[in-house]
Amino acid sequence: MGKTIRKLEVASPVPADIDIANSVEPLHISQIADDLNLSSQHYDLYGKYKAKGPGSVLLSALDELQGTGDGYYVVVGGITPTPLGEGKSTTTVGLCQALGAFLDKKVVTCVRQPSQGPTFGIKGGAAGGGYSQVIPMDEFNLHLTGDIHAITAANNLLAAAIDTRIFHESTQSDKALLNRLCPPNKEGQRSFNAIMLRRLGKLGISKPKPEELTPEEVKKFARLDIDPDSITWRRVMDVNDRFLRKISIGHGPEEKGMVRETGFDISVASEIMAVLALTTSLSDMRDRLGKMVIGNSRAGDPVTADDLGVGGALTVLMKDAINPTLMQTLEGTPVLVHAGPFANIAHGNSSIVADKIALKLVGPGGFVATEAGFGADIGTEKFMNIKCRYSGLTPQCAVIVATIRALKMHGGGPAVVAGKPLDRAYVTENVSLVEAGCVNLARHISNTKAYGVNVVVAVNKFSTDSDAELNAVRSAALSAGAFDAVICSHHAHGGKGAVDLGVAVQKACENVTQPLKFLYPLDVSIKEKIEAIAKSYGASGVEYSEQAEKQIEMYSKQGFSGLPICMAKTQYSFSDNASQKGAPSGFVLPIRDVRASIGAGFIYPLVGTMSTMPGLPTRPCFYDIDIDTATGRVIGLS
Amino acid sequence: MGKTIRKLEVASPVPADIDIANSVEPLHISQIADDLNLSSQHYDLYGKYKAKGPGSVLLSALDELQGTGDGYYVVVGGITPTPLGEGKSTTTVGLCQALGAFLDKKVVTCVRQPSQGPTFGIKGGAAGGGYSQVIPMDEFNLHLTGDIHAITAANNLLAAAIDTRIFHESTQSDKALLNRLCPPNKEGQRSFNAIMLRRLGKLGISKPKPEELTPEEVKKFARLDIDPDSITWRRVMDVNDRFLRKISIGHGPEEKGMVRETGFDISVASEIMAVLALTTSLSDMRDRLGKMVIGNSRAGDPVTADDLGVGGALTVLMKDAINPTLMQTLEGTPVLVHAGPFANIAHGNSSIVADKIALKLVGPGGFVATEAGFGADIGTEKFMNIKCRYSGLTPQCAVIVATIRALKMHGGGPAVVAGKPLDRAYVTENVSLVEAGCVNLARHISNTKAYGVNVVVAVNKFSTDSDAELNAVRSAALSAGAFDAVICSHHAHGGKGAVDLGVAVQKACENVTQPLKFLYPLDVSIKEKIEAIAKSYGASGVEYSEQAEKQIEMYSKQGFSGLPICMAKTQYSFSDNASQKGAPSGFVLPIRDVRASIGAGFIYPLVGTMSTMPGLPTRPCFYDIDIDTATGRVIGLS
């Protein structure tokens, strides 16, 4: 791996992210691919610095590679963050730069594609930061290779299919519907096509020709009879557009008064993003997309994308998206970007496809670091209980990223608000505040250890942190059961600043003594699973709304109770209340509603009120973003 | 150009488009680029069969190429079509295959990127047909290189910025708005950034620091005071979603009752698509995007994207889209795909950037064929009066594509309906019906000749056409003043079937005797321009709704009356009434409303009721579209 390592010249104080990113000439991505022994038939170039693949092509060739063992599998989670973020992506990148550029290991970083909405809103980009970044950072943050656009297109095609189908069913007889669904060919013959045969199979009708159906069968086949009130499928957009959270559609005169209330989510919250993240092959993706449930018939039966005739078209829209995007870090180590963020309202992990390929590419003794969004209570929990369950992969080590800033907040420091200056407490030494905050870290450590992995705490060091504060975290982490706890300065120094972390992670991986243990078995009730997760948050119990009770009952009746659980919960507290910092306990966790992502394969309880569509502030990031028309360079991206 | 020509083996009867497209192994796109003498620095690969560029990079290098002359410039329009389309794209491709693969000319085909919405709806794809197609046709029809997705993202970011700004202005004082727009830096200093200085310049305020503004100036700067009823900017989606035509937004509790009625258009109807099509450089695009007017302040002043602070971010989202996509025809000749369709509700031409580059790449003696959407009344008219006006380019020849089918319809044949079998009249000989329909062709010929170009009629031959019918069209075309009229069979035979057309086009280009003449000068009133176009349709007059009168008055007052006109009119008749076939005259053209696309640079009258969002039928195309999961191939795309 050594040959394409790029030596970083670091400046102090650390310049702006975009300036660091622009100061480096990226390697042609074919060089990065060469280092991974990827032949050009396994990927397609997307410009000079991005390649798409190796996805379904290589996945289907994974059989050949089955002989090859996997590398070590490291998941990077965090403590409960402040709204500023604690540098989890930065640490994931820094760790890999250390392993690849300084410790001579084969390594692949697996990160999630950022949502474009927040890039123009409050948060800015998500390529890491300082001297630990994925580059080119503008390409990483914008469009990338179009996966999220494909998700948006597929999600909204399905949405259009739902409303249009209800509309056409409302104006046509069963017979007319059948005749329109199965039009005669040039010889006047009517027939079912492949996707119709799927539906007929599901209905237990095995007649090959439309004219052989009884009137009752015609009705069953041609009339989905969707209950508009049951529709859980919403439209999506990768823009922070708060005015679309709740809308009323169908006001045009041609829609004949069929007005319905619905709304838009941000695209990365689409079930199709979760399908992409959890799928394992093209044919698996086809099945999952077809199985997605959009609501129920009036008789209470789940209605799927395949029932609407659109599962194949959705797969066609997603066929390129199944391939991860190959990029590079500032130090020239390889990165696979795939699937999406938002571990609060989605499962928030990068894809199984990317991780699987990466583990084979690095092989035994190599390392794959994959990021799990937000705090370990949601990101790592979903990584273990959903993602590893579907992938069959076993992590050896979990990194928990902590900052002095966030620990002080958990210890009782004043509120940290994005866009507002930090309180003095956060930039001057206060060891006791840090020590008090370590309860949050300790609970994340013990929760994560329970999966059977070794836990390494990475303290992402800021220039204002004192040695006494840093040492306090180290000893708190070790007494809470961490395998090791390391101070890192990869933001300021790149991979060099995370060498100790790399060494600790290597030791942790080599010294696993336990098998992987899930937090709950699948074959218990939905409520038992929710309660197991709630207990890991510190809750003393769970309270279900009437709506939640109703949904749980329905999904259980429909046969979906064997799925894992994907909680939609605030990332800012173990509890449902974002202002409860530290390690709250004894609270009752409220479940407001329960949805199901049958295609992705999980039940999706909503803890309290979670927004699935961010907004824009008075002065969004976009005010600073422009193009230098002389050079074509992006400026002002943060 | 000869070396990469691919010899076609044609089958009879002509197989399905997707089967022909899949039967050919496309050349690696770098081979196509080599033939154009494009060095790899001028383009980026997007997979194996698409390259992006040469756009802004080569455009900026066009200065160097200024010495090189342009090739011949041929626009392909059509007669008034049936809903099935008369093969305009097919003829554009076939003509170029003839010129490049059989007549040994340098040639580039410039076509528009299809909208994905109709691909899954009724119409299917738009890559041409039979043995005259752009390949790979699935990549052409789906996503391509993401230009339309970028337009969707940019359009909707601007939409979100509008509603959010109104919301934030409603809850904050002038002073608070200013403070939020200009937050203090680490040293506590407030400042204006570049995009704010644009707005201050427009307002005539030249103070460098926020604290120096008077309260009156603070109000003028920080409060856009957008009149919600004046907003013409709508959201877009590249999906046929009729239920979004008219919607009501802002029903969420956080939006505090700020409900507003609006709607979605199909993405290709976005003003940003028109900007892309009409721009000439990156800096020109930056200016146009910033100048787009979204509505008015309550005082009646136009509010622009730059006033909202978002013009730079929109340009960043569009920076890759400015580069055309290089693809190939079935016979290996080069194709530039750029900008969008829908000449009825948009201007419907491919981009100036693509045409300019193509003309230099083929050089003197070479040929560029560019397609203008729908009938020549809208497509070619807009090509001449809008596109050529902005590009400064001069076409030598206009092709008008006609079919026996459409001419019979114009001669009084029964209605032609998509998805229904054709009436017998269309598949059996009926010379008098054809002759009667030639009034439509004749008017398109004389209208097009008036621009000073030579007109060549291309009769796109179907297997059911008789020689007598075809000859009738030839003689009608010649007596209407066509330079030549040629029978073509490129659908069945590829370029070989359009060799006569290629020869005729070459002669037409070499024998131009007149300069380019526009239909109207720019320096007359908006109404005079509308009336000049209406006259070309055969109208005896124009009737303006009250709303149209109001808008015309407002745009004139705002100083926009010098712009060209982009009519939104049905493609199915010269008149506003789709059922008036042939060459109607004496009707009064109703103008229902008038909008302005100030960034794109035209005034946009709506003739009658035009839908800007298509719908889905009971059995959309998506029913047949799926993926062969074993091979990864798309099936069922038409």
Side-chain angles (χ1 to χ4, degrees), chain A residues 44-45 47-48 143 165 181 193 235 241-242 248 255 317 616 619 623, chain B residues 44-45 47-48 143 165 181 193 235 241-242 248 255 317 619 623:
Chain A
D44 282 328
L45 292 174
K48 295 174 180 62
H143 305 310
R165 182 62 173 252
L181 288 170
N193 77 354
R235 289 168 176 83
D241 193 347
R242 57 186 290 168
S248 163
E255 281 62 64
L317 282 168
L616 293 171
R619 186 192 195 282
Y623 259 92
Chain B
D44 282 329
L45 292 175
K48 295 174 181 61
H143 305 310
R165 182 63 174 251
L181 288 170
N193 77 354
R235 289 166 177 83
D241 194 346
R242 56 186 291 169
S248 162
E255 282 60 66
L317 282 168
R619 185 193 198 280
Y623 259 90

mmCIF file of all heavy atoms in Angstrom, chain A residues 44-45 47-48 143 165 181 193 235 241-242 248 255 317 616 619 623, chain B residues 44-45 47-48 143 165 181 193 235 241-242 248 255 317 619 623:
data_model
loop_
_atom_site.group_PDB
_atom_site.id
_atom_site.type_symbol
_atom_site.label_atom_id
_atom_site.label_comp_id
_atom_site.label_asym_id
_atom_site.label_seq_id
_atom_site.Cartn_x
_atom_site.Cartn_y
_atom_site.Cartn_z
ATOM 1 N N ASP A 44 -15.841 1.762 -12.575
ATOM 2 C CA ASP A 44 -15.998 2.762 -13.622
ATOM 3 C C ASP A 44 -15.523 4.097 -13.086
ATOM 4 O O ASP A 44 -15.836 4.456 -11.947
ATOM 5 C CB ASP A 44 -17.476 2.900 -13.998
ATOM 6 C CG ASP A 44 -17.943 1.773 -14.905
ATOM 7 O OD1 ASP A 44 -17.111 1.283 -15.696
ATOM 8 O OD2 ASP A 44 -19.127 1.399 -14.825
ATOM 9 N N LEU A 45 -14.794 4.825 -13.894
ATOM 10 C CA LEU A 45 -14.385 6.158 -13.474
ATOM 11 C C LEU A 45 -15.575 7.113 -13.526
ATOM 12 O O LEU A 45 -16.384 7.052 -14.447
ATOM 13 C CB LEU A 45 -13.275 6.681 -14.393
ATOM 14 C CG LEU A 45 -11.941 5.950 -14.283
ATOM 15 C CD1 LEU A 45 -10.972 6.453 -15.347
ATOM 16 C CD2 LEU A 45 -11.341 6.146 -12.893
ATOM 17 N N GLY A 47 -15.274 10.851 -13.412
ATOM 18 C CA GLY A 47 -14.325 11.940 -13.304
ATOM 19 C C GLY A 47 -12.974 11.380 -12.892
ATOM 20 O O GLY A 47 -12.731 10.164 -12.960
ATOM 21 N N LYS A 48 -12.066 12.249 -12.471
ATOM 22 C CA LYS A 48 -10.684 11.841 -12.189
ATOM 23 C C LYS A 48 -10.487 11.325 -10.767
ATOM 24 O O LYS A 48 -9.541 10.604 -10.478
ATOM 25 C CB LYS A 48 -9.746 13.026 -12.433
ATOM 26 C CG LYS A 48 -9.710 13.454 -13.898
ATOM 27 C CD LYS A 48 -8.887 14.721 -14.120
ATOM 28 C CE LYS A 48 -8.887 15.100 -15.604
ATOM 29 N NZ LYS A 48 -10.243 15.398 -16.129
ATOM 30 N N HIS A 143 -23.637 15.950 -4.785
ATOM 31 C CA HIS A 143 -24.004 14.982 -5.838
ATOM 32 C C HIS A 143 -23.265 13.649 -5.716
ATOM 33 O O HIS A 143 -23.847 12.612 -5.923
ATOM 34 C CB HIS A 143 -23.749 15.539 -7.254
ATOM 35 C CG HIS A 143 -24.395 16.845 -7.559
ATOM 36 N ND1 HIS A 143 -25.730 17.080 -7.331
ATOM 37 C CD2 HIS A 143 -23.894 18.007 -8.077
ATOM 38 C CE1 HIS A 143 -26.036 18.306 -7.708
ATOM 39 N NE2 HIS A 143 -24.943 18.898 -8.154
ATOM 40 N N ARG A 165 -52.615 5.440 -8.619
ATOM 41 C CA ARG A 165 -53.381 4.203 -8.602
ATOM 42 C C ARG A 165 -54.708 4.378 -7.865
ATOM 43 O O ARG A 165 -55.763 3.935 -8.338
ATOM 44 C CB ARG A 165 -52.561 3.094 -7.946
ATOM 45 C CG ARG A 165 -53.243 1.742 -7.921
ATOM 46 C CD ARG A 165 -53.499 1.229 -9.345
ATOM 47 N NE ARG A 165 -54.004 -0.121 -9.338
ATOM 48 C CZ ARG A 165 -53.301 -1.193 -9.719
ATOM 49 N NH1 ARG A 165 -52.075 -1.059 -10.181
ATOM 50 N NH2 ARG A 165 -53.820 -2.390 -9.670
ATOM 51 N N LEU A 181 -54.779 -2.736 -17.369
ATOM 52 C CA LEU A 181 -53.525 -3.310 -16.865
ATOM 53 C C LEU A 181 -52.969 -4.341 -17.844
ATOM 54 O O LEU A 181 -51.746 -4.494 -17.950
ATOM 55 C CB LEU A 181 -53.741 -3.951 -15.489
ATOM 56 C CG LEU A 181 -53.948 -2.974 -14.330
ATOM 57 C CD1 LEU A 181 -54.401 -3.721 -13.074
ATOM 58 C CD2 LEU A 181 -52.674 -2.181 -14.046
ATOM 59 N N ASN A 193 -47.817 -9.750 -17.214
ATOM 60 C CA ASN A 193 -46.358 -9.696 -17.334
ATOM 61 C C ASN A 193 -45.735 -10.162 -16.015
ATOM 62 O O ASN A 193 -46.431 -10.560 -15.076
ATOM 63 C CB ASN A 193 -45.877 -8.313 -17.794
ATOM 64 C CG ASN A 193 -45.911 -7.291 -16.681
ATOM 65 O OD1 ASN A 193 -46.395 -7.561 -15.590
ATOM 66 N ND2 ASN A 193 -45.397 -6.108 -16.962
ATOM 67 N N ARG A 235 -43.106 11.420 0.290
ATOM 68 C CA ARG A 235 -42.168 11.862 -0.737
ATOM 69 C C ARG A 235 -40.891 12.371 -0.055
ATOM 70 O O ARG A 235 -40.893 12.657 1.142
ATOM 71 C CB ARG A 235 -42.819 12.931 -1.605
ATOM 72 C CG ARG A 235 -43.918 12.350 -2.506
ATOM 73 C CD ARG A 235 -44.766 13.421 -3.160
ATOM 74 N NE ARG A 235 -45.752 12.863 -4.080
ATOM 75 C CZ ARG A 235 -46.932 12.376 -3.726
ATOM 76 N NH1 ARG A 235 -47.296 12.354 -2.449
ATOM 77 N NH2 ARG A 235 -47.773 11.890 -4.629
ATOM 78 N N ASP A 241 -36.196 21.627 3.510
ATOM 79 C CA ASP A 241 -37.373 22.407 3.118
ATOM 80 C C ASP A 241 -38.496 22.196 4.123
ATOM 81 O O ASP A 241 -39.396 21.387 3.907
ATOM 82 C CB ASP A 241 -37.785 21.996 1.695
ATOM 83 C CG ASP A 241 -38.787 22.976 1.093
ATOM 84 O OD1 ASP A 241 -39.342 23.814 1.829
ATOM 85 O OD2 ASP A 241 -39.007 22.892 -0.125
ATOM 86 N N ARG A 242 -38.455 22.954 5.214
ATOM 87 C CA ARG A 242 -39.382 22.734 6.317
ATOM 88 C C ARG A 242 -40.841 22.913 5.921
ATOM 89 O O ARG A 242 -41.724 22.322 6.551
ATOM 90 C CB ARG A 242 -39.036 23.646 7.488
ATOM 91 C CG ARG A 242 -39.027 25.119 7.129
ATOM 92 C CD ARG A 242 -38.547 25.974 8.286
ATOM 93 N NE ARG A 242 -39.514 26.007 9.357
ATOM 94 C CZ ARG A 242 -39.266 26.486 10.563
ATOM 95 N NH1 ARG A 242 -38.055 26.964 10.846
ATOM 96 N NH2 ARG A 242 -40.190 26.496 11.480
ATOM 97 N N SER A 248 -50.630 19.352 1.741
ATOM 98 C CA SER A 248 -51.879 18.783 1.267
ATOM 99 C C SER A 248 -51.794 18.750 -0.256
ATOM 100 O O SER A 248 -51.468 19.762 -0.883
ATOM 101 C CB SER A 248 -52.997 19.664 1.815
ATOM 102 O OG SER A 248 -54.178 19.448 1.145
ATOM 103 N N GLU A 255 -57.561 16.548 -10.489
ATOM 104 C CA GLU A 255 -57.481 15.502 -9.461
ATOM 105 C C GLU A 255 -58.814 15.325 -8.736
ATOM 106 O O GLU A 255 -58.941 14.533 -7.793
ATOM 107 C CB GLU A 255 -56.325 15.774 -8.504
ATOM 108 C CG GLU A 255 -54.966 15.375 -9.080
ATOM 109 C CD GLU A 255 -54.570 16.143 -10.355
ATOM 110 O OE1 GLU A 255 -54.387 17.368 -10.293
ATOM 111 O OE2 GLU A 255 -54.485 15.513 -11.428
ATOM 112 N N LEU A 317 -33.732 2.116 -11.384
ATOM 113 C CA LEU A 317 -33.256 3.442 -10.959
ATOM 114 C C LEU A 317 -32.092 3.334 -9.984
ATOM 115 O O LEU A 317 -31.259 4.231 -9.892
ATOM 116 C CB LEU A 317 -34.405 4.235 -10.319
ATOM 117 C CG LEU A 317 -35.403 4.846 -11.306
ATOM 118 C CD1 LEU A 317 -36.641 5.350 -10.580
ATOM 119 C CD2 LEU A 317 -34.757 5.989 -12.094
ATOM 120 N N LEU A 616 -33.999 25.506 7.345
ATOM 121 C CA LEU A 616 -32.881 26.421 7.091
ATOM 122 C C LEU A 616 -32.934 27.551 8.106
ATOM 123 O O LEU A 616 -34.009 28.030 8.453
ATOM 124 C CB LEU A 616 -32.994 27.025 5.686
ATOM 125 C CG LEU A 616 -32.831 26.094 4.480
ATOM 126 C CD1 LEU A 616 -33.207 26.833 3.205
ATOM 127 C CD2 LEU A 616 -31.411 25.564 4.399
ATOM 128 N N ARG A 619 -29.609 32.638 8.150
ATOM 129 C CA ARG A 619 -28.433 32.761 7.287
ATOM 130 C C ARG A 619 -27.848 31.382 7.049
ATOM 131 O O ARG A 619 -26.938 30.942 7.747
ATOM 132 C CB ARG A 619 -27.383 33.644 7.964
ATOM 133 C CG ARG A 619 -26.176 33.954 7.073
ATOM 134 C CD ARG A 619 -25.071 34.558 7.898
ATOM 135 N NE ARG A 619 -24.051 35.198 7.114
ATOM 136 C CZ ARG A 619 -23.072 34.575 6.461
ATOM 137 N NH1 ARG A 619 -23.018 33.262 6.473
ATOM 138 N NH2 ARG A 619 -22.172 35.262 5.786
ATOM 139 N N TYR A 623 -25.150 31.055 1.907
ATOM 140 C CA TYR A 623 -24.724 32.448 1.727
ATOM 141 C C TYR A 623 -23.243 32.580 1.363
ATOM 142 O O TYR A 623 -22.833 33.539 0.722
ATOM 143 C CB TYR A 623 -25.006 33.253 3.005
ATOM 144 C CG TYR A 623 -26.256 34.102 2.910
ATOM 145 C CD1 TYR A 623 -27.475 33.606 3.338
ATOM 146 C CD2 TYR A 623 -26.206 35.393 2.391
ATOM 147 C CE1 TYR A 623 -28.631 34.371 3.243
ATOM 148 C CE2 TYR A 623 -27.352 36.160 2.295
ATOM 149 C CZ TYR A 623 -28.560 35.652 2.722
ATOM 150 O OH TYR A 623 -29.699 36.422 2.618
ATOM 151 N N ASP B 44 -14.051 14.156 -18.674
ATOM 152 C CA ASP B 44 -13.984 13.182 -17.587
ATOM 153 C C ASP B 44 -14.834 11.987 -17.961
ATOM 154 O O ASP B 44 -15.945 12.140 -18.460
ATOM 155 C CB ASP B 44 -14.550 13.790 -16.301
ATOM 156 C CG ASP B 44 -13.557 14.721 -15.632
ATOM 157 O OD1 ASP B 44 -12.345 14.479 -15.753
ATOM 158 O OD2 ASP B 44 -14.006 15.682 -14.987
ATOM 159 N N LEU B 45 -14.325 10.804 -17.698
ATOM 160 C CA LEU B 45 -15.126 9.608 -17.940
ATOM 161 C C LEU B 45 -16.215 9.480 -16.878
ATOM 162 O O LEU B 45 -15.985 9.766 -15.704
ATOM 163 C CB LEU B 45 -14.236 8.365 -17.906
ATOM 164 C CG LEU B 45 -13.230 8.239 -19.048
ATOM 165 C CD1 LEU B 45 -12.326 7.033 -18.820
ATOM 166 C CD2 LEU B 45 -13.952 8.110 -20.389
ATOM 167 N N GLY B 47 -18.166 6.337 -16.258
ATOM 168 C CA GLY B 47 -18.354 4.981 -16.720
ATOM 169 C C GLY B 47 -17.625 4.801 -18.040
ATOM 170 O O GLY B 47 -16.788 5.620 -18.433
ATOM 171 N N LYS B 48 -17.939 3.713 -18.733
ATOM 172 C CA LYS B 48 -17.201 3.361 -19.954
ATOM 173 C C LYS B 48 -17.775 4.002 -21.206
ATOM 174 O O LYS B 48 -17.088 4.148 -22.211
ATOM 175 C CB LYS B 48 -17.206 1.832 -20.119
ATOM 176 C CG LYS B 48 -16.446 1.113 -19.011
ATOM 177 C CD LYS B 48 -16.571 -0.396 -19.100
ATOM 178 C CE LYS B 48 -15.815 -1.089 -17.966
ATOM 179 N NZ LYS B 48 -16.306 -0.742 -16.609
ATOM 180 N N HIS B 143 -30.958 8.919 -15.458
ATOM 181 C CA HIS B 143 -29.915 9.646 -14.714
ATOM 182 C C HIS B 143 -28.910 10.350 -15.630
ATOM 183 O O HIS B 143 -28.500 11.450 -15.357
ATOM 184 C CB HIS B 143 -29.123 8.720 -13.759
ATOM 185 C CG HIS B 143 -29.954 7.951 -12.791
ATOM 186 N ND1 HIS B 143 -30.922 8.537 -12.001
ATOM 187 C CD2 HIS B 143 -29.960 6.622 -12.452
ATOM 188 C CE1 HIS B 143 -31.486 7.624 -11.229
ATOM 189 N NE2 HIS B 143 -30.935 6.450 -11.487
ATOM 190 N N ARG B 165 -37.253 32.189 4.105
ATOM 191 C CA ARG B 165 -36.968 33.608 4.319
ATOM 192 C C ARG B 165 -38.229 34.366 4.742
ATOM 193 O O ARG B 165 -38.196 35.184 5.668
ATOM 194 C CB ARG B 165 -36.385 34.206 3.031
ATOM 195 C CG ARG B 165 -36.004 35.668 3.156
ATOM 196 C CD ARG B 165 -34.895 35.860 4.199
ATOM 197 N NE ARG B 165 -34.444 37.227 4.215
ATOM 198 C CZ ARG B 165 -33.251 37.631 3.751
ATOM 199 N NH1 ARG B 165 -32.394 36.750 3.275
ATOM 200 N NH2 ARG B 165 -32.907 38.899 3.785
ATOM 201 N N LEU B 181 -28.035 37.812 9.703
ATOM 202 C CA LEU B 181 -27.419 37.707 8.372
ATOM 203 C C LEU B 181 -25.926 37.995 8.431
ATOM 204 O O LEU B 181 -25.152 37.440 7.674
ATOM 205 C CB LEU B 181 -28.101 38.682 7.392
ATOM 206 C CG LEU B 181 -29.518 38.293 6.960
ATOM 207 C CD1 LEU B 181 -30.186 39.428 6.186
ATOM 208 C CD2 LEU B 181 -29.492 37.024 6.092
ATOM 209 N N ASN B 193 -20.800 39.710 3.217
ATOM 210 C CA ASN B 193 -20.019 38.854 2.326
ATOM 211 C C ASN B 193 -20.325 39.201 0.870
ATOM 212 O O ASN B 193 -21.107 40.130 0.588
ATOM 213 C CB ASN B 193 -20.212 37.371 2.659
ATOM 214 C CG ASN B 193 -21.532 36.831 2.157
ATOM 215 O OD1 ASN B 193 -22.373 37.570 1.648
ATOM 216 N ND2 ASN B 193 -21.732 35.528 2.299
ATOM 217 N N ARG B 235 -41.684 24.389 -7.058
ATOM 218 C CA ARG B 235 -40.767 23.275 -6.866
ATOM 219 C C ARG B 235 -40.841 22.343 -8.076
ATOM 220 O O ARG B 235 -41.811 22.412 -8.834
ATOM 221 C CB ARG B 235 -41.088 22.551 -5.560
ATOM 222 C CG ARG B 235 -40.715 23.375 -4.322
ATOM 223 C CD ARG B 235 -41.314 22.845 -3.051
ATOM 224 N NE ARG B 235 -40.893 23.592 -1.861
ATOM 225 C CZ ARG B 235 -41.434 24.724 -1.445
ATOM 226 N NH1 ARG B 235 -42.440 25.292 -2.109
ATOM 227 N NH2 ARG B 235 -40.984 25.327 -0.348
ATOM 228 N N ASP B 241 -45.931 13.213 -11.480
ATOM 229 C CA ASP B 241 -46.681 13.138 -10.221
ATOM 230 C C ASP B 241 -47.801 14.177 -10.222
ATOM 231 O O ASP B 241 -47.680 15.263 -9.670
ATOM 232 C CB ASP B 241 -45.720 13.354 -9.045
ATOM 233 C CG ASP B 241 -46.346 12.957 -7.718
ATOM 234 O OD1 ASP B 241 -47.578 12.769 -7.661
ATOM 235 O OD2 ASP B 241 -45.597 12.846 -6.730
ATOM 236 N N ARG B 242 -48.926 13.782 -10.829
ATOM 237 C CA ARG B 242 -50.018 14.742 -11.035
ATOM 238 C C ARG B 242 -50.591 15.302 -9.736
ATOM 239 O O ARG B 242 -51.130 16.408 -9.734
ATOM 240 C CB ARG B 242 -51.127 14.099 -11.857
ATOM 241 C CG ARG B 242 -51.665 12.817 -11.272
ATOM 242 C CD ARG B 242 -52.663 12.157 -12.198
ATOM 243 N NE ARG B 242 -53.883 12.926 -12.283
ATOM 244 C CZ ARG B 242 -54.832 12.695 -13.177
ATOM 245 N NH1 ARG B 242 -54.697 11.724 -14.055
ATOM 246 N NH2 ARG B 242 -55.934 13.420 -13.189
ATOM 247 N N SER B 248 -50.769 22.461 -1.110
ATOM 248 C CA SER B 248 -50.771 23.506 -0.083
ATOM 249 C C SER B 248 -49.689 23.117 0.924
ATOM 250 O O SER B 248 -49.649 21.984 1.402
ATOM 251 C CB SER B 248 -52.180 23.524 0.509
ATOM 252 O OG SER B 248 -52.206 24.167 1.726
ATOM 253 N N GLU B 255 -44.537 25.522 11.446
ATOM 254 C CA GLU B 255 -44.612 26.564 10.419
ATOM 255 C C GLU B 255 -45.674 27.611 10.752
ATOM 256 O O GLU B 255 -45.928 28.541 9.981
ATOM 257 C CB GLU B 255 -44.818 25.946 9.038
ATOM 258 C CG GLU B 255 -43.542 25.362 8.429
ATOM 259 C CD GLU B 255 -42.904 24.240 9.252
ATOM 260 O OE1 GLU B 255 -43.518 23.158 9.388
ATOM 261 O OE2 GLU B 255 -41.797 24.442 9.795
ATOM 262 N N LEU B 317 -24.069 23.918 -7.416
ATOM 263 C CA LEU B 317 -24.839 22.701 -7.713
ATOM 264 C C LEU B 317 -24.852 22.391 -9.206
ATOM 265 O O LEU B 317 -24.970 21.239 -9.614
ATOM 266 C CB LEU B 317 -26.275 22.845 -7.201
ATOM 267 C CG LEU B 317 -26.449 22.652 -5.703
ATOM 268 C CD1 LEU B 317 -27.829 23.107 -5.255
ATOM 269 C CD2 LEU B 317 -26.226 21.193 -5.301
ATOM 270 N N ARG B 619 -51.706 1.900 -16.468
ATOM 271 C CA ARG B 619 -50.607 0.947 -16.625
ATOM 272 C C ARG B 619 -49.403 1.697 -17.188
ATOM 273 O O ARG B 619 -49.193 1.744 -18.400
ATOM 274 C CB ARG B 619 -51.009 -0.167 -17.588
ATOM 275 C CG ARG B 619 -49.971 -1.268 -17.710
ATOM 276 C CD ARG B 619 -50.289 -2.148 -18.908
ATOM 277 N NE ARG B 619 -49.629 -3.427 -18.865
ATOM 278 C CZ ARG B 619 -48.352 -3.635 -19.199
ATOM 279 N NH1 ARG B 619 -47.608 -2.620 -19.562
ATOM 280 N NH2 ARG B 619 -47.839 -4.843 -19.161
ATOM 281 N N TYR B 623 -44.420 -0.762 -15.479
ATOM 282 C CA TYR B 623 -44.844 -2.155 -15.292
ATOM 283 C C TYR B 623 -43.918 -3.151 -15.984
ATOM 284 O O TYR B 623 -43.787 -4.290 -15.571
ATOM 285 C CB TYR B 623 -46.274 -2.349 -15.801
ATOM 286 C CG TYR B 623 -47.305 -2.363 -14.695
ATOM 287 C CD1 TYR B 623 -47.928 -1.199 -14.267
ATOM 288 C CD2 TYR B 623 -47.638 -3.559 -14.053
ATOM 289 C CE1 TYR B 623 -48.867 -1.211 -13.243
ATOM 290 C CE2 TYR B 623 -48.578 -3.590 -13.028
ATOM 291 C CZ TYR B 623 -49.185 -2.416 -12.625
ATOM 292 O OH TYR B 623 -50.099 -2.439 -11.608
#
